[in-house]
Amino acid sequence: MVSERKGRVVQFSLAIVASIISIHLFFLIQNASIEGLDKKNNVVIFEEEGEGETHPSFSTTALKVYILCGQSNMVGHAKVSVMENQLDMSHTRKRWAQFRMGNNSGWTNNDNVYVHAVVDGKVVSGPLSVGFGGSSNEIGPEFAFGHKIAKYHKNDRVLLVKAAWGGKSLYRDFKSPSAAFPTEDFMEEEHQGHYKGLSMEDYKKTFGVYYQNMMNHITTTLMNYSSILQPVSSQGTDAKGKLIPTRYEVMGFVWFQGWNDQFSDYARNNYRENLINFIRDVRSDLKQPNLPFVIGALGVGGLKKMREHGPNKITEAQIAVSQHEDFLNTVRTVSTAELWDEEAEEAFATWRTNPKKWAKFGSDRPYHYLGSPFFFYNAGSAFAEAIIELLESQSHT
């Protein structure tokens, strides 16, 4: 059972994506101790931890920028109330107590990490804390990601740029400029279905809208980062009196998406190529050809579901992308199936008859990873860990 436990770092073999047989072999391999395969195969499973130009009045260290994008599970739908309920349980208290104020009157802010996010069209900004998920009462992967990255950068300032919208596909909504349009037959069928109220010309204009929205949010944030960090004086300090860096470095990109590409043969069969083009286009637009890129592999239902029903084609594609010859040592895929919250799944089975138990573990449907704060905490930590490994790998080459 997944609870307050220490996971194992396990690496995948290149045969994962070949067939259902090989994916079952992969699950057996996970239970073995395999050291040092992450750099070869670029797929990791999270291991939970134990306990430029400058101005003399500004910080001389560049602002460290991380970009987090995707659909609803990057938005995040884990309710803070569940975290608060877990403070009352002995086996989960330690997980969240470290983020509480000294008098237990609320959640702390991490003033070294600032978040500027657009989530489902709503723009929210502020020091890292709870409330940057789908609502002011929810968290997503950014919560743990930001805290772990802050430890890595120690005294450097960090900016998380988050852009996520629920219910969006890669083949259409996040279609990047170099990705191909679907076949005419596919588009005609889709147009006559969900989009029959639009002309064919207007329907085609829906492709790539959220890629452009994402890039607009990212570039606008980077252009205006100083004002976003709330300067309040000509001395280049923010509202807390902290010096604002005069330059920034985009350190990495995290992509957590995939659910809405499961529902047609075209989207499933072309996900790998679409994601390859997406990564290339993001790097081109940001003018960083080797930008570290982490993919959160679709893992709803956990390892048990994958064993029982075989591999998910989107998950296979996400694994395959990080093994592409052009992406070795610059792209990693993180298995989120390993992080599935089995306690929340057990409580969800009786959520109608035992709502008090359910409120201690989850707050949403399975496709949102049960709204489990435990899952989103570990997912954010795993994404940060993968980014750090890529940064360390690049620093040694």
Side-chain angles (χ1 to χ4, degrees), residues 5 19 28-29 51 96 113 128 141-142 168 171 182-183 186 192 200 218-219 230 244 246 270 273 275 314 351 355:
R5 61 202 177 263
S19 64
L28 293 175
I29 292 174
E51 296 291 292
W96 306 117
V113 183
L128 177 65
E142 78 291 329
K168 303 298 179 249
Y171 81 88
T183 63
F186 176 86
Q192 293 303 317
M200 177 57 81
I218 293 168
T219 55
Q230 301 177 10
I244 296 175
T246 56
N270 289 277
E273 194 64 28
L275 187 52
I314 300 300
W351 72 272

Side-chain angles (χ1 to χ4, degrees), residues 3-230:
S3 59
E4 202 72 355
R5 61 202 177 263
K6 294 188 177 180
R8 299 181 300 274
V9 175
V10 191
Q11 314 305 331
F12 295 95
S13 72
L14 288 172
I16 295 171
V17 298
S19 64
I20 292 177
I21 294 174
S22 63
I23 205 107
H24 280 285
L25 177 61
F26 148 59
F27 289 128
L28 293 175
I29 292 174
Q30 285 186 102
N31 295 321
S33 175
I34 303 179
E35 269 316 308
L37 294 185
D38 55 305
K39 290 189 169 85
K40 177 181 178 183
N41 295 319
N42 287 343
V43 184
V44 298
I45 292 179
F46 172 54
E47 179 176 10
E48 189 178 356
E49 285 184 340
E51 296 291 292
E53 182 181 352
T54 63
H55 185 285
S57 63
F58 282 45
S59 169
T60 58
T61 303
L63 179 70
K64 310 303 182 184
V65 179
Y66 291 87
I67 301 167
L68 290 74
C69 298
Q71 60 176 116
S72 60
N73 287 312
M74 181 57 87
V75 170
H77 292 287
K79 284 192 167 39
V80 176
S81 60
V82 180
M83 298 161 63
E84 291 169 346
N85 289 338
Q86 291 187 353
L87 285 166
D88 296 328
M89 298 189 292
S90 59
H91 75 291
T92 55
R93 182 181 302 113
K94 186 177 179 181
R95 183 188 308 161
W96 306 117
Q98 60 184 314
F99 305 114
R100 297 290 286 180
M101 294 181 183
N103 57 4
N104 202 32
S105 62
W107 298 93
T108 59
N109 291 338
N110 189 326
D111 291 326
N112 281 344
V113 183
Y114 204 86
V115 184
H116 188 60
V118 55
V119 286
D120 288 332
K122 178 182 66 175
V123 178
V124 288
S125 296
L128 177 65
S129 187
V130 299
F132 289 101
S135 73
S136 60
N137 297 309
E138 294 174 306
I139 67 165
E142 78 291 329
F143 181 76
F145 181 92
H147 282 292
K148 192 173 187 71
I149 284 294
K151 291 180 180 178
Y152 176 67
H153 287 295
K154 297 181 181 177
N155 295 322
D156 291 340
R157 301 293 298 279
V158 175
L159 175 62
L160 304 184
V161 183
K162 177 174 170 177
W165 296 266
K168 303 298 179 249
S169 63
L170 179 61
Y171 81 88
R172 183 168 55 80
D173 301 301
F174 282 106
K175 176 190 174 299
S176 67
S178 65
F181 277 90
T183 63
E184 289 296 327
D185 287 345
F186 176 86
M187 288 196 292
E188 182 63 32
E189 181 180 351
E190 188 175 62
H191 175 236
Q192 293 303 317
H194 295 298
Y195 298 92
K196 61 183 178 182
L198 300 177
S199 67
M200 177 57 81
E201 182 181 1
D202 287 340
Y203 159 69
K204 288 183 177 180
K205 290 179 181 178
T206 66
F207 283 79
V209 167
Y210 284 87
Y211 180 89
Q212 293 304 322
N213 289 347
M214 175 190 77
M215 290 309 305
N216 287 342
H217 176 67
I218 293 168
T219 55
T220 300
T221 301
L222 295 178
M223 289 173 59
N224 299 286
Y225 79 90
S226 183
S227 60
I228 288 169
L229 292 177
Q230 301 177 10

Side-chain angles (χ1 to χ4, degrees), residues 13 38 56 96 151 157 166 252 261 271 273 286 288 290 328 348 359 379 381 397:
S13 72
D38 55 305
W96 306 117
K151 291 180 180 178
R157 301 293 298 279
D261 288 88
Y271 192 91
E273 194 64 28
L286 295 176
Q288 291 192 227
N290 292 311
L328 298 180
F348 179 75
S381 296
T397 59

